Structures are given as C-alpha cells and as structure tokens.
Amino acid sequence: MKHHRKLLILTLPIFLAACEASVSEKYKSRTAGFAAVAQNSKSITGKKTVWVQSQEQAHMLNKQVHKMVHRKTISADTAVQVALLNNKGLQAAYADIGISASDVWQESLLENPVVSIGVLGINAPELGAYRAIEGMIAGNLLDAHTRKQRIALADTNFQAAQMNAVNATLSLAAETRTAWINAVSAFETVSYLRKAAVASDASSELAAKLGGTGALGKAGQAREHAFNAELAAQTARARLDARVAKENLTRLMGLWGVEVDYFVPNRLPSLPRSIPRSRSIEKVALQNRVDLKIAKLGLEATAKAYGLTETTRLVTDLELIAGFEKERELDGGAVVSDTTPQLELEFAIPIFDTGKARMRKAELSYMRSANMLAEKAVNVRSEARVAETTYHSQYELARHYRDTVVPLRTVVEQEALLSYNGMITNTYELLSDIRDKLGSQLMASNAKRDFWLAKANLKSAIYGGMGGSAGAAGGDATIAAAGGAGH
C-alpha cells in the first residue's frame, strides 16, 4: 500500500502536466483569436485593426495617428482607419476575446484534487502525540466526465466573442463614416447659409435706404430685416451643429489634445454617375450579416448547454475520495500502528431535486434562442430590403435636385437678373429668386448627404454593424421662411 501511495504522489504532477500540455496554443496566445477578427474586419472595411497590448504598440499607434490627422484634411476612409486604430472602446471589445479564450483554457484543465489530512486523538494520555492520522485525496469524477462538453461550450462562446468583436469593429466603422458625412454636410450647410446671408444683407440694406426715401413702407422694411435676422440666427445654429458634428467624429476617432487639430472637407463628394442594383440583397445579407452569425452561435451554445444539463440531470456532484488511516494503540506496553486504505464515493441522492426544473429551464432557453434567431433572420431580410430601397431612392432624389431643381432655379435667377438690368423687374423679386435658388441648393446638399448615409447603411445592412441613419445630423437645414414673399 505504501508503494502505491508513493507512486500516486509521484505520478500526480506528471498527470497534471500532461493535462496542461493538452491545451491548444490558440487559447493560450496573448492575441488569441484576434487574427480571424482582423482578417474578417479587413475583408469588409478594407482597414487595419490592432489589438494593443503593450506600451510600445500604443506609442507606435499614437505616432501613426498623429501623422494621419494632425493639421490634415481627413477623408472618410482616413477617419474610419483612425477610429479602428485609436478607439479605446474597441480595444475593450477585443479584450473580451482574450477573456473567452481564457475560459476555454480553464475548462480544458482538470479540476484540482482536494487533499485533506486529519489528526485524531491529539495528546492522548496513553499514546502521546496522537491516536490516529488520516490522509485523503478527492477528485471530481463528474468534472472529468463532462470535460469535453464544457470545452465545446466554451469554444462556441469563444467563436461568438470573435464574431462580437468583428461586429463591434463594423459598428465603429459605420458610425465613424456616418459621423464624417454628417460633419462635412454640416459645414457645407454653413457655406450655403453664408451665401444666403450675403443676399439677405443686401436686401436688408436696400430696404433701409428705400425706407429713408419713403419708397418703402415700415412693413416692407420690417419684413426684410426680420428675414435677415432669422437667417443670421439660422447660420449661427448651423455653425453650432457643424462643431457638434465634428466633435462627435473626434470622439469616435478617440482623439484628444493636439490631435483634435484636424479638418474635414468643405463639401461632400459628388454623386456617382450610376449605382448598381442588387437582385439578391436578402440572400447576400443572410450570408454575410455578422450579428446573424452571432445569433446562430448563441443557439449552438444553448444546445450544448442543454446537453450538458441533461448529462448532469440526476447527479450534479460526484467525488471519488481515496486515502489511508493510520491508527495507533498500546499492545503489551508498546505502541503498534496499523494503516488501512480508504475509498469513498460521494454524491447527492436525487430525492428532492430530480433535475426536472433545470431541464425545463434549459429547454426553454433553447426555444428562446431558436425564436430569437428566426426573428433575427426576418429582420435581416427586411433591413436589407429597406436599405436597398432607400439607397436607390435617395440617389434618384439627389439626382433630381442636382439635375432638375437647381438648374431651373439657376435659370430663374439668371432671367431675373436680366429683367432687373432691363428695369423690368424690381430689386425684391430679384433677391427673392436668389434666395429661392440658395434654398434649392441647400435641399440638394441635404439630399446628397442622405444618399451617402444611405450608402453607408446599405453596407451595414449587408455585413452588420448598423450605424447611423439618414438625416441624423440634426435634421434638414433649409433657408429661413422667405421674408420677402409678396415683393
């Protein structure tokens, strides 16, 4: 028996070391699972992502970001790249991958044995130090039996964490692109309102001069002055909206200090000549949506948890305890010791808790996950259809303003100017036509912004990471109500 006990003590560390070696390196790496996240994210966004885990990496990224933004006019692609490199919230999402990898690693290890040593009959008068000593080692048999199932469940959660990280990356990219569009559109609105303010100032000044000569009544003067004042307030509001929109972009890119000294373009890119129409947008979305893949992994994890619960339905704790007991006694004035081996099996008798409640809970959890997955698939189809329809509708609307409304207003303005030079029309009608043209240009700018937002949302509807919505920049900016109406 002594030989067997010594052999157990000697082989136990070797056995544990073997268990340690069986853990896959992909779970023990400092960047466990991130390579797949970076590859998937780059294939969709075309941008690089980094999981920062050292001061050196952080310093290099700071220098890279400084070169990209400091006193530079940044494009939408640059803004997205900076956000993916510099946003700290995204780094927190990447840390969840490492946490889930650690869970798989932990589940891959056997539960540590519990060792207990007891000394009985201490200071017995006839025996001296003690009467008996016993040593026990307890191991959880159920833990070893369910080890493969628990590893499979943890690995599914690990895959879900990777998909969640990809979705977080896509969400940040979509939000940043939307914020860039809103910021540029806001500054473009400010430029149009400034042009309107020039015409309004001229109208107000002319009204004051005509009022001094008695050629214009007080009501007419007040109408022009009121319009000028309202336009000034609207311009101030637009400047504030532009600053707030740019600050939102700055926040998403994670910039602070001197790095906030950057610029955005004064106007959005022009509309493309044409845009393609997809006939299988629902199929493409179902194949690529990352959040749908996450829901599928959630259902898979619930199924594995259900199987694990079924395995442990009756017995939740099964321990095998092995050890020895060494007892001493007096025999003819001499102390004689006797060592006997012990073997125990401990488990809870399923009399009151037969596991039905846990099985019912697991069953309902699976049904809930299945229904949520079905609902998600329906929603993905609908979101893809809406995004596709909105994308093409916004394109047609923006083209209508660009090709029809604005040119017509330009013709009206030019003809009004000719009539004014020929003294056929008066000054107020000319100024009114100029304001109407600026109003049309502003609406055309809003329609162009909504098109680019719809394009960004279409990509999110296909791949996931639903970002901002069209018109999220604070509503449509329009020219203030024409105070010169009736002139």
Side-chain angles (χ1 to χ4, degrees), residues 129-152:
Y130 61 91
R131 182 185 303 278
I133 183 170
E134 62 180 16
M136 311 293 285
I137 298 179
N140 194 328
L141 296 179
L142 191 62
D143 177 80
H145 177 65
T146 60
R147 180 166 171 256
K148 287 186 177 179
Q149 289 175 285
R150 289 185 288 103
I151 293 174

Side-chain angles (χ1 to χ4, degrees), residues 240-473:
L240 174 61
D241 291 343
R243 286 195 290 269
V244 172
K246 186 181 177 185
E247 192 59 39
N248 185 39
L249 176 63
T250 303
R251 187 163 52 250
L252 289 171
M253 291 192 295
L255 301 178
W256 62 283
V258 298
E259 309 303 350
V260 301
D261 188 11
Y262 71 94
F263 310 98
V264 294
N266 293 324
R267 57 179 302 168
L268 290 170
S270 301
L271 294 175
R273 290 179 177 273
S274 62
I275 57 175
R277 184 176 291 277
S278 175
R279 297 185 181 276
S280 57
I281 187 70
E282 295 181 37
K283 180 181 177 181
V284 175
L286 288 175
Q287 290 175 342
N288 294 282
R289 278 286 288 263
V290 176
D291 50 347
L292 191 61
K293 295 178 182 177
I294 294 172
K296 289 179 181 176
L297 287 171
L299 179 63
E300 184 180 341
T302 308
K304 290 177 179 175
Y306 181 83
L308 189 59
T309 303
E310 190 175 23
T311 302
T312 60
R313 176 182 176 182
L314 297 177
V315 180
T316 57
D317 195 11
L318 181 62
E319 285 192 337
L320 178 63
I321 304 172
F324 68 94
E325 180 180 6
K326 180 180 180 182
E327 187 174 5
R328 300 192 306 165
E329 61 182 3
L330 285 175
D331 184 8
V335 177
V336 178
S337 61
D338 183 25
T339 302
T340 56
Q342 290 189 2
L343 188 65
E344 301 176 9
L345 187 65
E346 288 189 0
F347 60 91
I349 302 175
I351 298 177
F352 306 108
D353 181 6
T354 58
K356 289 184 178 179
R358 286 184 286 112
M359 287 297 296
R360 180 61 176 163
K361 181 180 178 181
E363 182 183 3
L364 290 176
S365 297
Y366 180 80
M367 292 173 61
R368 182 183 63 178
S369 297
N371 285 314
M372 290 178 65
L373 176 59
E375 181 193 29
K376 189 71 181 174
V378 172
N379 292 344
V380 165
R381 289 175 178 271
S382 175
E383 290 167 2
R385 290 194 302 271
V386 170
E388 172 79 357
T389 302
T390 304
Y391 177 55
H392 287 277
S393 297
Q394 292 294 353
Y395 179 70
E396 294 300 328
L397 185 61
R399 282 190 58 185
H400 176 71
Y401 273 106
R402 185 195 65 180
D403 299 339
T404 305
V405 177
V406 173
L408 286 175
R409 286 295 181 188
T410 302
V411 172
V412 171
E413 179 196 33
Q414 292 172 348
E415 291 300 320
L417 184 59
L418 293 175
S419 299
Y420 176 76
N421 292 334
M423 301 183 67
I424 299 174
T425 186
N426 59 43
T427 306
Y428 307 110
E429 291 176 347
L430 173 63
L431 293 176
S432 178
D433 291 336
I434 293 174
R435 285 197 294 266
D436 289 342
K437 181 194 172 184
L438 290 172
S440 298
Q441 288 177 326
L442 201 53
M443 287 188 285
S445 174
N446 293 336
K448 185 172 62 173
R449 177 203 62 194
D450 292 343
F451 163 74
W452 288 113
L453 290 175
K455 184 178 181 181
N457 285 339
L458 177 63
K459 190 170 186 178
S460 297
I462 293 175
Y463 295 103
M466 296 295 288
S469 58

Side-chain angles (χ1 to χ4, degrees), residues 108-128:
S108 300
L109 303 176
L110 289 176
E111 187 176 330
N112 289 329
V114 177
V115 178
S116 63
I117 298 176
V119 180
L120 307 177
I122 297 176
N123 200 23
E126 68 277 16
L127 297 173

Side-chain angles (χ1 to χ4, degrees), residues 35 37 41 57 95 101 121 144 174 189 196 227 233 246 256 323 424 446:
V37 174
S41 300
Q57 278 184 305
T189 298
F227 174 72
K246 186 181 177 185
W256 62 283
I424 299 174
N446 293 336

Side-chain angles (χ1 to χ4, degrees), residues 86-101:
N86 204 44
N87 187 285
K88 304 307 178 189
L90 187 61
Q91 293 297 318
Y94 292 162
D96 290 338
I97 309 173
I99 294 173
S100 63

